Amino acid sequence: MTTLAIREKLSNYMQVAEDKKVKAIYEILKDEVERYERLTIKKFNKELKKAEKDFNKGKFISKKKMEKIASKW
């Protein structure tokens, strides 16, 4: 079954599923749903402005330091 077909089946199912099943599915997918919701233009721009302010204040990690940190993962 293709991903598109699965999405369609899930979408149809969610419209008629019992509330407790919808809530259970949501709990399983909660982190992904919230991560997706973060990507609205308004929120993205807000986070970008904050990041720019932090950068201008010197609050950042250099590439060299980040590579050192990542090498320990």
Side-chain angles (χ1 to χ4, degrees):
M1 183 179 303
T2 67
T3 303
L4 179 59
I6 293 169
R7 287 178 195 273
E8 288 177 17
K9 283 184 175 272
L10 285 171
S11 179
N12 292 336
Y13 175 74
M14 295 302 288
Q15 300 305 313
V16 297
E18 298 173 21
D19 288 350
K20 68 179 185 175
K21 289 182 180 178
V22 172
K23 289 176 182 177
I25 292 167
Y26 175 77
E27 285 302 316
I28 292 168
L29 300 173
K30 186 176 175 179
D31 290 341
E32 293 295 321
V33 171
E34 289 173 357
R35 198 171 307 141
Y36 175 77
E37 289 173 347
R38 275 186 62 213
L39 299 178
T40 64
I41 296 295
K42 185 176 179 178
K43 288 184 180 182
F44 175 81
N45 287 334
K46 184 177 177 180
E47 289 180 16
L48 182 60
K49 285 181 182 180
K50 183 184 179 315
E52 288 174 338
K53 286 179 184 177
D54 288 346
F55 178 80
N56 290 332
K57 291 179 182 178
K59 295 181 179 179
F60 61 89
I61 298 174
S62 69
K63 179 183 176 209
K64 187 174 182 178
K65 187 171 182 179
M66 181 53 76
E67 287 172 344
K68 185 177 180 181
I69 293 168
S71 71
K72 296 177 182 178
W73 293 350

